Amino acid sequence: MNQLQASGTKAQLALQRFDVQSSPEPKRLGAWTEILYDKFYPLDLVNPTVEFSFGKLNILDIPGIRFGTIESSPMNVYRRREHLHHPGGDYYYIPMPIREMLSLKQFGRRADVKPGDFAIVATADSYQYEQPTSNLLATLRIDGPLMRERVPLVD
C-alpha cells in the first residue's frame, strides 16, 4: 500500500492496489468479481469474450468518497434485485471511460458513455454495465446520503 502525504497537513491517504495477474488464468474472472464485489458492492460479472486475462483496481478513500481506476478485460456487470438486499449498497457510481466507450442500462434507459464523458448510476437500484472491449476507467463511488444531501434531485 502506498502512502500519500497531503501537502501542508498531517492527513495521510492510503492508495490500495488490486491485480488478478497472480491468479491462474481460468480463475481470474472469479478473482476479479470477488475484488469488485468486496471493494464496491454486491454484483455479478460476466465475460462477454472467450477469456478474461487482466483486471487492475486502484482505490483511494476519503470519508464518503472512493476514487478509483479500473483497467480490465471486457466485462458485463449486473447489479440485480437480489444484490439490493445486502447492506452497504447505497452509492452513486460515476464511471468515466478513458480509452473506449461503455454502455449502461438503468430505469429502462440506455446510455453510451464515450471517453471523456461520465454517467451517474444509482446503485440502490438494479443496473447493467457493458464493457465490450478492454478499457481503462476513472471512477467515483459516493455514499448515497452524502450525494443526495449535496445534489438535490440527483435521482
Side-chain angles (χ1 to χ4, degrees), residues 29-128:
L29 182 63
W32 186 237
T33 303
E34 193 172 305
I35 289 168
L36 294 180
Y37 191 105
D38 184 50
K39 298 301 173 187
F40 281 94
Y41 38 78
L43 52 80
D44 289 330
L45 195 103
V46 174
N47 179 8
T49 62
V50 176
E51 68 179 47
F52 187 89
S53 57
F54 71 98
K56 296 177 185 178
L57 171 66
N58 298 304
I59 55 176
L60 185 67
D61 290 333
I62 62 171
I65 301 173
R66 173 165 284 171
F67 299 91
T69 61
I70 295 174
E71 186 173 17
S72 77
S73 295
M75 62 179 177
N76 290 340
V77 174
Y78 300 92
R79 179 123 164 100
R80 304 179 198 277
R81 291 206 182 280
E82 58 267 21
H83 298 131
L84 305 180
H85 302 294
H86 294 272
D90 181 15
Y91 303 104
Y92 289 90
Y93 175 65
I94 303 172
M96 298 165 273
I98 307 275
R99 292 188 196 137
E100 303 289 338
M101 185 178 75
L102 58 87
S103 296
L104 294 165
K105 294 178 187 174
Q106 189 172 41
F107 305 123
R109 295 178 291 186
R110 179 185 171 97
D112 292 331
V113 187
K114 297 177 178 142
D117 207 351
F118 70 94
I120 299 175
V121 178
T123 67
D125 290 298
S126 57
Y127 75 90
Q128 183 177 343

Side-chain angles (χ1 to χ4, degrees), residues 13 23 30 62 103 155:
L13 304 173
S23 297
I62 62 171
S103 296
D155 292 312

